[in-house]
């Protein structure tokens, strides 16, 4: 009986938290839904690592190698990188390389969140998180991703549904990494925000995970750099 009461209380907290934090002026869409006209854009790149408690912390606010990959990928599609605004679009790329078994997870264990202070203005819990270690099969790009599964389950969580009422394949009580020994793994988060007047903010979001990288202590970004850049380029090539 006590366990049922505790579960009900936790579900209520999730529902209340979702209602309190939801921004009525924020519209979040998948990056695959982006269909706007080509134009110029600004680019912010940040890299992260996990601290001793398993929380993501900012490691660097620039990455020249990644910037070059993004610029070349989008230039082929007609998008022009600007050194500073104003521009038609603002793109952010957030990269994590970590032993994801050590990640600090939320109540329903479905994501690792970016630190709000590292993201700065525009931070939103509906946007700034990485998904667990489920990846799209790059040989089958039509395969359903965990991002779409989370979008399917989010309305149920916000409405007060049980965390156990989840989309198939989302294992809320499993650790992020099941690797033995401790492998490093990468996470990619891309956000694209069109410029526009008024309070409404529309953000297009793409998330992806890499395959396992080498087993290196503390998982520096260089461990997964190649996998992260390949995954990022694949996301840009298939979504624009």
């Amino acid at each position: 009986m006590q366990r049922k009461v505790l579960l009900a209380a936790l579900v209520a907290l999730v529902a209340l938290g979702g209602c309190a934090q939801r921004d009525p002026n924020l519209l979040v869409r998948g990056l695959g839904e982006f269909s706007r006209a080509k134009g110029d854009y600004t680019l912010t790149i940040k890299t992260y690592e996990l601290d001793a408690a398993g929380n993501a912390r900012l490691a660097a606010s620039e990455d020249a190698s990644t910037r070059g990959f993004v610029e070349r990928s989008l230039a082929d599609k007609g998008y022009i990188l600007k050194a500073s605004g104003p521009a038609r679009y603002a793109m952010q790329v957030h990269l994590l390389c970590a032993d994801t078994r050590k990640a600090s997870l939320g109540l329903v264990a479905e994501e690792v969140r970016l630190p709000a202070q590292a993201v700065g203005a525009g931070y939103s819990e509906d946007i700034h998180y990485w998904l667990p270690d489920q990846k799209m099969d790059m040989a089958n790009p039509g395969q359903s991703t965990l991002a779409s599964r989370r979008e399917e389950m989010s309305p149920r969580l916000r409405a007060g549904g049980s965390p156990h009422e989840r989309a198939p394949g989302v294992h809320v009580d499993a650790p992020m990494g099941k690797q033995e020994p401790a492998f490093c793994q990468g996470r990619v988060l891309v956000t694209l925000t069109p410029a526009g007047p008024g309070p409404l903010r529309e953000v297009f979001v793409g998330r992806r995970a890499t395959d396992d990288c080498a087993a290196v202590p503390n998982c520096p970004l260089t461990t997964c750099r190649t996998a992260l850049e390949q995954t990022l380029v694949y996301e840009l090539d298939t979504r624009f």
Side-chain angles (χ1 to χ4, degrees):
M1 180 65 179
Q2 289 180 336
R3 294 179 63 183
K4 291 182 179 179
V5 172
L6 178 60
L7 179 60
L10 291 174
V11 170
L13 286 174
V14 172
L16 289 173
C19 292
Q21 296 164 356
R22 188 166 179 78
D23 183 353
N25 293 320
L26 175 63
L27 180 60
V28 181
R29 300 185 183 276
L31 197 58
E33 299 179 65
F34 180 76
S35 60
R36 304 295 184 85
K38 298 177 176 60
D40 53 10
Y41 67 99
T42 56
L43 177 61
T44 301
I45 299 175
K46 296 184 179 181
T47 61
Y48 301 80
E49 59 191 7
L50 295 184
D51 61 18
N55 297 308
R57 65 184 177 190
L58 183 66
S61 296
E62 182 54 85
D63 191 275
S65 177
T66 303
R67 178 174 290 270
F69 275 99
V70 174
E71 182 176 6
R72 288 190 295 272
S73 296
L74 293 184
D76 291 341
K77 299 177 180 295
Y79 296 90
I80 306 301
L81 177 61
K82 291 188 66 175
S84 60
R88 184 161 190 165
Y89 306 109
M91 175 177 286
Q92 293 186 358
V93 175
H94 301 275
L95 305 176
L96 170 71
C97 180
D99 175 0
T100 51
R101 299 181 310 165
K102 298 179 180 179
S104 176
L105 302 176
L107 176 64
V108 293
E110 57 180 79
E111 68 229 9
V112 176
R113 293 205 169 275
L114 281 71
Q117 67 274 18
V119 175
Y123 175 83
S124 170
E125 290 195 354
D126 288 333
I127 298 172
H128 294 103
Y129 60 88
W130 292 286
L131 290 169
D133 61 338
Q134 296 198 21
K135 301 163 283 293
M136 173 180 279
D137 181 357
M138 291 191 181
N140 299 284
Q143 178 178 327
S144 176
T145 65
L146 192 57
S148 62
R149 293 173 187 165
R150 186 185 189 280
E151 291 305 316
E152 292 170 1
M153 67 182 285
S154 293
R156 290 201 293 275
L157 292 179
R158 293 196 183 104
S162 167
H164 298 287
E165 295 176 6
R166 59 190 183 274
V170 181
H171 304 287
V172 299
D173 48 2
M176 283 189 67
K178 301 177 183 178
Q179 313 95 330
E180 282 294 342
F183 284 92
C184 301
Q185 202 172 68
R187 298 285 186 276
V188 174
L189 169 66
V190 179
T191 70
L192 187 69
T193 306
L200 181 63
R201 183 165 66 112
E202 186 177 30
V203 183
F204 296 87
V205 182
R207 300 180 182 87
R208 230 174 256 283
T210 72
D211 288 324
D212 295 338
C213 306
V216 176
N218 300 320
C219 298
L221 188 74
T222 53
T223 308
C224 287
R225 173 172 293 283
T226 299
L228 283 166
E229 290 176 343
Q230 289 177 343
T231 301
L232 174 59
V233 169
Y234 181 85
E235 180 74 4
L236 298 177
D237 284 347
T238 57
R239 299 304 185 187
F240 284 84

